[in-house]
C-alpha cells in the first residue's frame, strides 16, 4: 500500500480523492446520546501548525432503524499528538475551508493552500500517530 506523501494542502484533497483507503480502519472520535463522529484512520499532518486533519462522518441516532445513520461529511481538526477522541474542531466543509474557518482568518486561503503537509496512511497494526 502507498504510505506517506509530502505535498501542499492545496494539492492534498485532490490526491486524497484518488486514493483507496478501504483497508484503513476508521476511528470513533465521539459518541453522545444521539450523535456519533467517525474519523478516518489516515490523516493530513501539518507540521507548521502541529495539526492533523481527518475526514469524518457525523452520524445521528435513527429511532426507526435503532442505529446511528450517516448524516454529513466533515473535516475534523486535531492537535498532532492528541488522543483521537479529543478533537478541537469539526465542520461540514473541505480541509482548506475548515482550517481557514478554525483559524478565524489569521491566514488567507492561499496561505493555507501553500502549507506543507504530509498525508499519513498507517500500515496494518501501526499505532495511529503522526511521526
Amino acid at each position: 500500500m502507498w504510505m506517506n506523501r509530502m505535498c501542499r494542502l492545496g494539492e492534498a484533497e485532490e490526491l486524497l480523492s484518488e486514493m483507496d483507503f478501504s483497508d484503513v480502519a476508521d476511528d470513533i472520535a465521539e459518541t453522545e446520546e444521539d450523535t456519533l463522529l467517525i474519523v478516518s484512520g489516515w490523516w493530513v499532518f501539518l507540521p507548521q501548525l502541529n495539526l492533523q486533519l481527518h475526514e469524518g462522518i457525523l452520524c445521528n441516532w435513527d429511532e426507526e432503524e435503532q442505529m446511528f445513520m450517516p448524516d454529513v461529511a466533515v473535516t475534523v481538526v486535531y492537535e498532532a499528538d492528541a488522543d483521537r477522541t479529543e478533537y478541537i474542531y469539526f465542520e461540514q466543509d473541505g480541509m482548506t475551508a475548515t482550517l481557514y474557518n478554525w483559524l478565524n482568518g489569521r491566514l488567507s486561503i492561499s496561505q493555507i493552500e501553500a502549507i506543507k503537509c504530509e498525508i499519513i496512511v498507517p500500515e496494518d497494526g501501526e499505532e495511529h500517530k503522526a511521526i
Side-chain angles (χ1 to χ4, degrees):
M1 173 169 57
W2 179 73
M3 291 294 103
N4 304 349
R5 176 160 182 181
M6 297 295 297
C7 61
R8 303 270 178 195
L9 186 57
E11 303 165 319
E13 287 184 275
E14 183 177 333
L15 290 170
L16 292 166
S17 71
E18 299 169 358
M19 296 173 66
D20 176 18
F21 296 107
S22 59
D23 55 347
V24 179
D26 294 332
D27 291 329
I28 295 176
E30 177 182 7
T31 305
E32 293 182 8
E33 186 174 319
D34 58 351
T35 61
L36 176 73
L37 181 58
I38 301 172
V39 295
S40 60
W42 55 268
W43 59 90
V44 175
F45 174 54
L46 307 166
Q48 175 183 336
L49 301 173
N50 197 37
L51 295 175
Q52 292 177 198
L53 304 175
H54 292 251
E55 286 186 355
I57 300 288
L58 182 64
C59 303
N60 290 306
W61 182 256
D62 185 307
E63 282 295 327
E64 189 176 305
E65 298 291 329
Q66 289 295 298
M67 63 189 300
F68 286 102
M69 300 295 286
D71 187 18
V72 294
V74 295
T75 297
V76 185
V77 180
Y78 287 94
E79 287 185 25
D81 53 358
D83 181 283
R84 207 58 81 234
T85 60
E86 298 175 18
Y87 62 87
I88 341 180
Y89 180 75
F90 73 87
E91 180 177 296
Q92 183 185 346
D93 217 328
M95 291 182 177
T96 302
T98 297
L99 191 57
Y100 175 79
N101 291 333
W102 182 74
L103 290 170
N104 201 24
R106 290 183 293 230
L107 295 175
S108 69
I109 290 289
S110 60
Q111 288 173 311
I112 290 171
E113 290 175 336
I115 293 173
K116 291 181 182 176
C117 65
E118 184 175 8
I119 299 170
I120 308 285
V121 183
E123 294 184 46
D124 291 340
E126 181 180 337
E127 180 67 27
H128 291 233
K129 200 164 184 114
I131 299 170

mmCIF file of all heavy atoms in Angstrom, residues 34-73:
data_model
loop_
_atom_site.group_PDB
_atom_site.id
_atom_site.type_symbol
_atom_site.label_atom_id
_atom_site.label_comp_id
_atom_site.label_asym_id
_atom_site.label_seq_id
_atom_site.Cartn_x
_atom_site.Cartn_y
_atom_site.Cartn_z
ATOM 1 N N ASP A 34 -27.195 10.949 21.059
ATOM 2 C CA ASP A 34 -27.853 10.875 19.756
ATOM 3 C C ASP A 34 -26.944 11.181 18.570
ATOM 4 O O ASP A 34 -27.397 11.299 17.447
ATOM 5 C CB ASP A 34 -29.076 11.787 19.728
ATOM 6 C CG ASP A 34 -28.724 13.247 20.018
ATOM 7 O OD1 ASP A 34 -27.572 13.519 20.407
ATOM 8 O OD2 ASP A 34 -29.601 14.101 19.843
ATOM 9 N N THR A 35 -25.616 11.313 18.802
ATOM 10 C CA THR A 35 -24.686 11.540 17.699
ATOM 11 C C THR A 35 -23.425 10.707 17.863
ATOM 12 O O THR A 35 -23.045 10.331 18.972
ATOM 13 C CB THR A 35 -24.259 13.026 17.591
ATOM 14 O OG1 THR A 35 -23.603 13.413 18.781
ATOM 15 C CG2 THR A 35 -25.434 13.929 17.296
ATOM 16 N N LEU A 36 -22.788 10.437 16.746
ATOM 17 C CA LEU A 36 -21.547 9.677 16.691
ATOM 18 C C LEU A 36 -20.675 10.331 15.634
ATOM 19 O O LEU A 36 -21.151 10.653 14.545
ATOM 20 C CB LEU A 36 -21.865 8.227 16.302
ATOM 21 C CG LEU A 36 -20.713 7.261 16.087
ATOM 22 C CD1 LEU A 36 -20.084 6.897 17.423
ATOM 23 C CD2 LEU A 36 -21.213 6.013 15.392
ATOM 24 N N LEU A 37 -19.399 10.560 15.953
ATOM 25 C CA LEU A 37 -18.462 11.137 14.999
ATOM 26 C C LEU A 37 -17.410 10.086 14.676
ATOM 27 O O LEU A 37 -16.685 9.632 15.556
ATOM 28 C CB LEU A 37 -17.797 12.395 15.578
ATOM 29 C CG LEU A 37 -16.808 13.128 14.686
ATOM 30 C CD1 LEU A 37 -17.465 13.575 13.379
ATOM 31 C CD2 LEU A 37 -16.218 14.322 15.409
ATOM 32 N N ILE A 38 -17.365 9.688 13.414
ATOM 33 C CA ILE A 38 -16.404 8.692 12.944
ATOM 34 C C ILE A 38 -15.361 9.416 12.109
ATOM 35 O O ILE A 38 -15.703 10.225 11.245
ATOM 36 C CB ILE A 38 -17.103 7.606 12.105
ATOM 37 C CG1 ILE A 38 -18.171 6.908 12.944
ATOM 38 C CG2 ILE A 38 -16.091 6.608 11.549
ATOM 39 C CD1 ILE A 38 -19.052 5.959 12.162
ATOM 40 N N VAL A 39 -14.062 9.148 12.381
ATOM 41 C CA VAL A 39 -12.988 9.806 11.630
ATOM 42 C C VAL A 39 -12.128 8.775 10.914
ATOM 43 O O VAL A 39 -12.019 7.626 11.335
ATOM 44 C CB VAL A 39 -12.095 10.690 12.541
ATOM 45 C CG1 VAL A 39 -12.886 11.851 13.115
ATOM 46 C CG2 VAL A 39 -11.436 9.895 13.623
ATOM 47 N N SER A 40 -11.515 9.233 9.842
ATOM 48 C CA SER A 40 -10.649 8.370 9.041
ATOM 49 C C SER A 40 -9.437 7.925 9.862
ATOM 50 O O SER A 40 -8.944 8.656 10.713
ATOM 51 C CB SER A 40 -10.182 9.127 7.797
ATOM 52 O OG SER A 40 -9.449 10.292 8.161
ATOM 53 N N GLY A 41 -8.962 6.720 9.567
ATOM 54 C CA GLY A 41 -7.755 6.206 10.208
ATOM 55 C C GLY A 41 -6.489 6.778 9.592
ATOM 56 O O GLY A 41 -5.399 6.597 10.098
ATOM 57 N N TRP A 42 -6.591 7.488 8.499
ATOM 58 C CA TRP A 42 -5.487 8.201 7.857
ATOM 59 C C TRP A 42 -5.715 9.690 8.097
ATOM 60 O O TRP A 42 -6.799 10.096 8.500
ATOM 61 C CB TRP A 42 -5.451 7.900 6.358
ATOM 62 C CG TRP A 42 -6.758 8.198 5.697
ATOM 63 C CD1 TRP A 42 -7.798 7.331 5.490
ATOM 64 C CD2 TRP A 42 -7.195 9.467 5.211
ATOM 65 N NE1 TRP A 42 -8.838 7.988 4.906
ATOM 66 C CE2 TRP A 42 -8.500 9.304 4.725
ATOM 67 C CE3 TRP A 42 -6.619 10.727 5.149
ATOM 68 C CZ2 TRP A 42 -9.232 10.348 4.175
ATOM 69 C CZ3 TRP A 42 -7.349 11.776 4.603
ATOM 70 C CH2 TRP A 42 -8.633 11.571 4.121
ATOM 71 N N TRP A 43 -4.700 10.515 7.877
ATOM 72 C CA TRP A 43 -4.850 11.941 8.117
ATOM 73 C C TRP A 43 -3.834 12.741 7.327
ATOM 74 O O TRP A 43 -2.916 12.199 6.735
ATOM 75 C CB TRP A 43 -4.730 12.272 9.601
ATOM 76 C CG TRP A 43 -3.418 11.853 10.207
ATOM 77 C CD1 TRP A 43 -2.281 12.604 10.283
ATOM 78 C CD2 TRP A 43 -3.107 10.596 10.793
ATOM 79 N NE1 TRP A 43 -1.289 11.890 10.899
ATOM 80 C CE2 TRP A 43 -1.769 10.644 11.225
ATOM 81 C CE3 TRP A 43 -3.831 9.433 11.027
ATOM 82 C CZ2 TRP A 43 -1.135 9.583 11.851
ATOM 83 C CZ3 TRP A 43 -3.216 8.370 11.644
ATOM 84 C CH2 TRP A 43 -1.879 8.451 12.050
ATOM 85 N N VAL A 44 -4.029 14.052 7.361
ATOM 86 C CA VAL A 44 -3.090 15.002 6.777
ATOM 87 C C VAL A 44 -2.430 15.739 7.934
ATOM 88 O O VAL A 44 -3.107 16.368 8.749
ATOM 89 C CB VAL A 44 -3.805 15.989 5.830
ATOM 90 C CG1 VAL A 44 -2.831 17.043 5.327
ATOM 91 C CG2 VAL A 44 -4.444 15.233 4.665
ATOM 92 N N PHE A 45 -1.106 15.618 8.035
ATOM 93 C CA PHE A 45 -0.330 16.237 9.108
ATOM 94 C C PHE A 45 0.242 17.559 8.613
ATOM 95 O O PHE A 45 0.850 17.615 7.543
ATOM 96 C CB PHE A 45 0.788 15.292 9.546
ATOM 97 C CG PHE A 45 1.739 15.881 10.552
ATOM 98 C CD1 PHE A 45 1.278 16.430 11.735
ATOM 99 C CD2 PHE A 45 3.101 15.869 10.314
ATOM 100 C CE1 PHE A 45 2.154 16.971 12.672
ATOM 101 C CE2 PHE A 45 3.989 16.396 11.239
ATOM 102 C CZ PHE A 45 3.510 16.957 12.417
ATOM 103 N N LEU A 46 0.021 18.627 9.386
ATOM 104 C CA LEU A 46 0.521 19.962 9.060
ATOM 105 C C LEU A 46 1.581 20.344 10.090
ATOM 106 O O LEU A 46 1.262 20.897 11.143
ATOM 107 C CB LEU A 46 -0.620 20.983 9.100
ATOM 108 C CG LEU A 46 -1.847 20.642 8.251
ATOM 109 C CD1 LEU A 46 -3.014 21.516 8.615
ATOM 110 C CD2 LEU A 46 -1.512 20.743 6.784
ATOM 111 N N PRO A 47 2.867 20.042 9.828
ATOM 112 C CA PRO A 47 3.921 20.298 10.817
ATOM 113 C C PRO A 47 4.001 21.759 11.250
ATOM 114 O O PRO A 47 4.219 22.049 12.430
ATOM 115 C CB PRO A 47 5.210 19.879 10.107
ATOM 116 C CG PRO A 47 4.808 19.095 8.919
ATOM 117 C CD PRO A 47 3.401 19.454 8.595
ATOM 118 N N GLN A 48 3.815 22.695 10.327
ATOM 119 C CA GLN A 48 3.913 24.126 10.627
ATOM 120 C C GLN A 48 2.915 24.541 11.715
ATOM 121 O O GLN A 48 3.195 25.418 12.522
ATOM 122 C CB GLN A 48 3.663 24.921 9.343
ATOM 123 C CG GLN A 48 3.609 26.419 9.522
ATOM 124 C CD GLN A 48 3.284 27.120 8.212
ATOM 125 O OE1 GLN A 48 3.508 26.606 7.123
ATOM 126 N NE2 GLN A 48 2.756 28.324 8.309
ATOM 127 N N LEU A 49 1.736 23.905 11.745
ATOM 128 C CA LEU A 49 0.693 24.250 12.712
ATOM 129 C C LEU A 49 0.536 23.197 13.810
ATOM 130 O O LEU A 49 -0.278 23.369 14.712
ATOM 131 C CB LEU A 49 -0.648 24.432 11.987
ATOM 132 C CG LEU A 49 -0.686 25.511 10.909
ATOM 133 C CD1 LEU A 49 -2.006 25.473 10.164
ATOM 134 C CD2 LEU A 49 -0.421 26.881 11.506
ATOM 135 N N ASN A 50 1.296 22.098 13.703
ATOM 136 C CA ASN A 50 1.189 20.967 14.623
ATOM 137 C C ASN A 50 -0.250 20.456 14.723
ATOM 138 O O ASN A 50 -0.782 20.216 15.803
ATOM 139 C CB ASN A 50 1.730 21.320 16.015
ATOM 140 C CG ASN A 50 2.015 20.073 16.829
ATOM 141 O OD1 ASN A 50 2.477 19.063 16.296
ATOM 142 N ND2 ASN A 50 1.705 20.114 18.106
ATOM 143 N N LEU A 51 -0.881 20.313 13.540
ATOM 144 C CA LEU A 51 -2.269 19.859 13.467
ATOM 145 C C LEU A 51 -2.393 18.658 12.554
ATOM 146 O O LEU A 51 -1.553 18.430 11.683
ATOM 147 C CB LEU A 51 -3.172 20.971 12.922
ATOM 148 C CG LEU A 51 -3.325 22.229 13.757
ATOM 149 C CD1 LEU A 51 -4.149 23.261 12.992
ATOM 150 C CD2 LEU A 51 -3.959 21.925 15.104
ATOM 151 N N GLN A 52 -3.449 17.906 12.755
ATOM 152 C CA GLN A 52 -3.841 16.812 11.875
ATOM 153 C C GLN A 52 -5.262 17.082 11.413
ATOM 154 O O GLN A 52 -6.102 17.538 12.189
ATOM 155 C CB GLN A 52 -3.847 15.481 12.625
ATOM 156 C CG GLN A 52 -2.507 15.005 13.036
ATOM 157 C CD GLN A 52 -2.557 13.722 13.844
ATOM 158 O OE1 GLN A 52 -1.588 13.428 14.501
ATOM 159 N NE2 GLN A 52 -3.631 12.966 13.840
ATOM 160 N N LEU A 53 -5.527 16.769 10.148
ATOM 161 C CA LEU A 53 -6.867 16.879 9.592
ATOM 162 C C LEU A 53 -7.329 15.490 9.179
ATOM 163 O O LEU A 53 -6.592 14.765 8.511
ATOM 164 C CB LEU A 53 -6.869 17.813 8.378
ATOM 165 C CG LEU A 53 -6.341 19.222 8.599
ATOM 166 C CD1 LEU A 53 -6.298 19.980 7.271
ATOM 167 C CD2 LEU A 53 -7.203 19.964 9.606
ATOM 168 N N HIS A 54 -8.528 15.136 9.592
ATOM 169 C CA HIS A 54 -9.123 13.853 9.234
ATOM 170 C C HIS A 54 -10.439 14.115 8.514
ATOM 171 O O HIS A 54 -11.139 15.075 8.840
ATOM 172 C CB HIS A 54 -9.466 13.025 10.487
ATOM 173 C CG HIS A 54 -8.289 12.550 11.247
ATOM 174 N ND1 HIS A 54 -7.915 11.225 11.272
ATOM 175 C CD2 HIS A 54 -7.398 13.202 12.024
ATOM 176 C CE1 HIS A 54 -6.858 11.090 12.046
ATOM 177 N NE2 HIS A 54 -6.524 12.278 12.509
ATOM 178 N N GLU A 55 -10.789 13.245 7.584
ATOM 179 C CA GLU A 55 -12.142 13.268 7.064
ATOM 180 C C GLU A 55 -13.003 12.515 8.065
ATOM 181 O O GLU A 55 -12.513 11.624 8.765
ATOM 182 C CB GLU A 55 -12.215 12.605 5.689
ATOM 183 C CG GLU A 55 -11.613 13.473 4.605
ATOM 184 C CD GLU A 55 -11.801 12.888 3.218
ATOM 185 O OE1 GLU A 55 -12.321 11.750 3.086
ATOM 186 O OE2 GLU A 55 -11.417 13.562 2.259
ATOM 187 N N GLY A 56 -14.259 12.865 8.135
ATOM 188 C CA GLY A 56 -15.138 12.197 9.086
ATOM 189 C C GLY A 56 -16.581 12.185 8.618
ATOM 190 O O GLY A 56 -16.946 12.823 7.631
ATOM 191 N N ILE A 57 -17.385 11.453 9.369
ATOM 192 C CA ILE A 57 -18.824 11.377 9.120
ATOM 193 C C ILE A 57 -19.526 11.616 10.450
ATOM 194 O O ILE A 57 -19.236 10.934 11.443
ATOM 195 C CB ILE A 57 -19.251 9.991 8.582
ATOM 196 C CG1 ILE A 57 -18.542 9.659 7.263
ATOM 197 C CG2 ILE A 57 -20.770 9.918 8.428
ATOM 198 C CD1 ILE A 57 -19.020 10.438 6.071
ATOM 199 N N LEU A 58 -20.442 12.575 10.465
ATOM 200 C CA LEU A 58 -21.276 12.805 11.630
ATOM 201 C C LEU A 58 -22.538 11.966 11.441
ATOM 202 O O LEU A 58 -23.223 12.090 10.424
ATOM 203 C CB LEU A 58 -21.627 14.284 11.758
ATOM 204 C CG LEU A 58 -22.461 14.668 12.972
ATOM 205 C CD1 LEU A 58 -21.689 14.395 14.266
ATOM 206 C CD2 LEU A 58 -22.880 16.121 12.893
ATOM 207 N N CYS A 59 -22.804 11.100 12.399
ATOM 208 C CA CYS A 59 -23.964 10.213 12.332
ATOM 209 C C CYS A 59 -24.961 10.593 13.428
ATOM 210 O O CYS A 59 -24.559 10.992 14.521
ATOM 211 C CB CYS A 59 -23.541 8.756 12.545
ATOM 212 S SG CYS A 59 -22.291 8.179 11.384
ATOM 213 N N ASN A 60 -26.231 10.463 13.124
ATOM 214 C CA ASN A 60 -27.287 10.738 14.096
ATOM 215 C C ASN A 60 -28.065 9.459 14.378
ATOM 216 O O ASN A 60 -28.214 8.598 13.502
ATOM 217 C CB ASN A 60 -28.235 11.819 13.579
ATOM 218 C CG ASN A 60 -27.568 13.170 13.541
ATOM 219 O OD1 ASN A 60 -27.035 13.629 14.539
ATOM 220 N ND2 ASN A 60 -27.569 13.802 12.381
ATOM 221 N N TRP A 61 -28.582 9.352 15.605
ATOM 222 C CA TRP A 61 -29.366 8.190 16.004
ATOM 223 C C TRP A 61 -30.704 8.220 15.275
ATOM 224 O O TRP A 61 -31.403 9.227 15.259
ATOM 225 C CB TRP A 61 -29.584 8.174 17.517
ATOM 226 C CG TRP A 61 -30.343 6.981 17.962
ATOM 227 C CD1 TRP A 61 -31.655 6.927 18.327
ATOM 228 C CD2 TRP A 61 -29.854 5.642 18.062
ATOM 229 N NE1 TRP A 61 -32.008 5.641 18.657
ATOM 230 C CE2 TRP A 61 -30.913 4.831 18.504
ATOM 231 C CE3 TRP A 61 -28.609 5.062 17.821
ATOM 232 C CZ2 TRP A 61 -30.772 3.467 18.711
ATOM 233 C CZ3 TRP A 61 -28.470 3.695 18.022
ATOM 234 C CH2 TRP A 61 -29.543 2.920 18.466
ATOM 235 N N ASP A 62 -31.047 7.118 14.658
ATOM 236 C CA ASP A 62 -32.318 6.976 13.948
ATOM 237 C C ASP A 62 -33.219 6.073 14.786
ATOM 238 O O ASP A 62 -32.934 4.876 14.926
ATOM 239 C CB ASP A 62 -32.074 6.373 12.565
ATOM 240 C CG ASP A 62 -33.329 6.303 11.721
ATOM 241 O OD1 ASP A 62 -34.348 5.753 12.200
ATOM 242 O OD2 ASP A 62 -33.283 6.781 10.575
ATOM 243 N N GLU A 63 -34.279 6.638 15.353
ATOM 244 C CA GLU A 63 -35.194 5.884 16.220
ATOM 245 C C GLU A 63 -35.841 4.723 15.468
ATOM 246 O O GLU A 63 -35.978 3.625 15.998
ATOM 247 C CB GLU A 63 -36.290 6.798 16.788
ATOM 248 C CG GLU A 63 -35.844 7.659 17.929
ATOM 249 C CD GLU A 63 -35.448 6.856 19.165
ATOM 250 O OE1 GLU A 63 -36.032 5.783 19.424
ATOM 251 O OE2 GLU A 63 -34.532 7.319 19.874
ATOM 252 N N GLU A 64 -36.226 4.968 14.239
ATOM 253 C CA GLU A 64 -36.904 3.939 13.455
ATOM 254 C C GLU A 64 -35.988 2.753 13.172
ATOM 255 O O GLU A 64 -36.381 1.602 13.305
ATOM 256 C CB GLU A 64 -37.400 4.554 12.139
ATOM 257 C CG GLU A 64 -38.306 3.636 11.345
ATOM 258 C CD GLU A 64 -38.844 4.341 10.116
ATOM 259 O OE1 GLU A 64 -39.448 5.424 10.274
ATOM 260 O OE2 GLU A 64 -38.661 3.789 9.015
ATOM 261 N N GLU A 65 -34.751 3.031 12.791
ATOM 262 C CA GLU A 65 -33.789 1.978 12.464
ATOM 263 C C GLU A 65 -33.077 1.433 13.701
ATOM 264 O O GLU A 65 -32.416 0.405 13.634
ATOM 265 C CB GLU A 65 -32.742 2.497 11.472
ATOM 266 C CG GLU A 65 -33.309 2.922 10.139
ATOM 267 C CD GLU A 65 -33.832 1.753 9.328
ATOM 268 O OE1 GLU A 65 -33.301 0.635 9.439
ATOM 269 O OE2 GLU A 65 -34.801 1.971 8.570
ATOM 270 N N GLN A 66 -33.135 2.183 14.814
ATOM 271 C CA GLN A 66 -32.449 1.829 16.060
ATOM 272 C C GLN A 66 -30.944 1.663 15.857
ATOM 273 O O GLN A 66 -30.321 0.714 16.339
ATOM 274 C CB GLN A 66 -33.055 0.556 16.684
ATOM 275 C CG GLN A 66 -34.440 0.763 17.267
ATOM 276 C CD GLN A 66 -34.403 1.732 18.449
ATOM 277 O OE1 GLN A 66 -33.757 1.455 19.449
ATOM 278 N NE2 GLN A 66 -35.064 2.872 18.316
ATOM 279 N N MET A 67 -30.372 2.631 15.112
ATOM 280 C CA MET A 67 -28.939 2.637 14.880
ATOM 281 C C MET A 67 -28.495 4.033 14.438
ATOM 282 O O MET A 67 -29.320 4.851 14.064
ATOM 283 C CB MET A 67 -28.540 1.591 13.834
ATOM 284 C CG MET A 67 -29.131 1.834 12.466
ATOM 285 S SD MET A 67 -28.892 0.503 11.266
ATOM 286 C CE MET A 67 -27.138 0.400 11.165
ATOM 287 N N PHE A 68 -27.175 4.284 14.503
ATOM 288 C CA PHE A 68 -26.635 5.537 14.005
ATOM 289 C C PHE A 68 -26.606 5.493 12.487
ATOM 290 O O PHE A 68 -26.153 4.518 11.900
ATOM 291 C CB PHE A 68 -25.219 5.779 14.547
ATOM 292 C CG PHE A 68 -25.197 6.171 15.988
ATOM 293 C CD1 PHE A 68 -24.862 5.247 16.960
ATOM 294 C CD2 PHE A 68 -25.512 7.465 16.378
ATOM 295 C CE1 PHE A 68 -24.831 5.602 18.296
ATOM 296 C CE2 PHE A 68 -25.488 7.840 17.700
ATOM 297 C CZ PHE A 68 -25.153 6.903 18.669
ATOM 298 N N MET A 69 -27.083 6.570 11.873
ATOM 299 C CA MET A 69 -27.110 6.669 10.415
ATOM 300 C C MET A 69 -26.255 7.859 9.981
ATOM 301 O O MET A 69 -26.306 8.925 10.610
ATOM 302 C CB MET A 69 -28.543 6.863 9.916
ATOM 303 C CG MET A 69 -29.481 5.722 10.307
ATOM 304 S SD MET A 69 -29.061 4.151 9.543
ATOM 305 C CE MET A 69 -29.584 4.427 7.876
ATOM 306 N N PRO A 70 -25.473 7.711 8.909
ATOM 307 C CA PRO A 70 -24.633 8.812 8.432
ATOM 308 C C PRO A 70 -25.487 10.026 8.069
ATOM 309 O O PRO A 70 -26.559 9.884 7.484
ATOM 310 C CB PRO A 70 -23.967 8.240 7.179
ATOM 311 C CG PRO A 70 -24.178 6.775 7.235
ATOM 312 C CD PRO A 70 -25.365 6.522 8.083
ATOM 313 N N ASP A 71 -24.998 11.198 8.445
ATOM 314 C CA ASP A 71 -25.727 12.431 8.147
ATOM 315 C C ASP A 71 -24.917 13.316 7.206
ATOM 316 O O ASP A 71 -25.319 13.547 6.084
ATOM 317 C CB ASP A 71 -26.061 13.170 9.442
ATOM 318 C CG ASP A 71 -26.963 14.367 9.210
ATOM 319 O OD1 ASP A 71 -27.602 14.459 8.149
ATOM 320 O OD2 ASP A 71 -27.024 15.241 10.098
ATOM 321 N N VAL A 72 -23.750 13.805 7.660
ATOM 322 C CA VAL A 72 -22.947 14.710 6.830
ATOM 323 C C VAL A 72 -21.467 14.360 6.917
ATOM 324 O O VAL A 72 -20.991 13.865 7.933
ATOM 325 C CB VAL A 72 -23.139 16.193 7.239
ATOM 326 C CG1 VAL A 72 -24.548 16.664 6.953
ATOM 327 C CG2 VAL A 72 -22.774 16.427 8.679
ATOM 328 N N ALA A 73 -20.757 14.647 5.817
ATOM 329 C CA ALA A 73 -19.298 14.502 5.804
ATOM 330 C C ALA A 73 -18.696 15.755 6.430
ATOM 331 O O ALA A 73 -19.198 16.863 6.216
ATOM 332 C CB ALA A 73 -18.796 14.328 4.378
#
